[in-house]
Amino acid sequence: MLEVKDLASANGVLVNRQKVSTAVLQPGDQIQLGNTTLLVIGPKVSAPEVVDEDATVFVRAADLPAPQPKPARPRPATPNPLHVAAATTTTAAESPRRSNRLIWLVGALALAVVAGLAVQQLV
């Protein structure tokens, strides 16, 4: 003998789609606990097929032909415009660096001259 008892669950227990608090189960009975359905199997019982309404079904919409490879086209050798622009920007960026170095050099030379004149006045 198999017995099921609901212990105050939120969804309840369904036996053969009827909500019960307790039930004695027979072969062929279906027990539903939330989203899970169990089938009681006994000797020589054939169970009817249950259609699951939430089941995912894959249906082929259409037979598509296999994709054809694209023919290879030779491309002319052209320089990448981004690389050309980067090379131009690099040479333009080097000019301010050279002028900055020149300014530092002139400033250091002027400082050395001023420091030399100050030392001569002290002596």
Side-chain angles (χ1 to χ4, degrees):
M1 177 173 93
L2 186 61
E3 184 177 359
V4 66
K5 184 175 184 181
D6 184 15
L7 301 175
S9 63
N11 294 330
V13 175
L14 301 173
V15 175
N16 297 326
R17 298 185 181 165
Q18 299 292 321
K19 191 170 185 176
V20 296
S21 59
T22 183
V24 176
L25 301 174
Q26 301 297 322
D29 286 345
Q30 292 183 358
I31 308 166
Q32 187 171 354
L33 308 165
N35 291 333
T36 305
T37 302
L38 304 172
L39 175 65
V40 179
I41 298 177
K44 299 182 182 180
V45 175
S46 62
E49 185 174 333
V50 177
V51 177
D52 186 6
E53 296 173 359
D54 295 331
T56 301
V57 178
F58 294 97
V59 179
R60 174 169 274 167
D63 291 326
L64 300 175
Q68 299 295 325
K70 294 181 180 180
R73 290 184 281 168
R75 294 184 176 181
T78 57
N80 187 336
L82 296 176
H83 292 170
V84 172
T88 306
T89 306
T90 303
T91 55
E94 289 176 1
S95 297
R97 289 183 190 161
R98 289 183 189 153
S99 64
N100 286 344
R101 288 181 190 160
L102 183 60
I103 291 170
W104 278 97
L105 182 59
V106 170
L109 183 59
L111 184 61
V113 169
V114 170
L117 291 174
V119 170
Q120 281 182 352
Q121 288 181 353
L122 291 176
V123 177

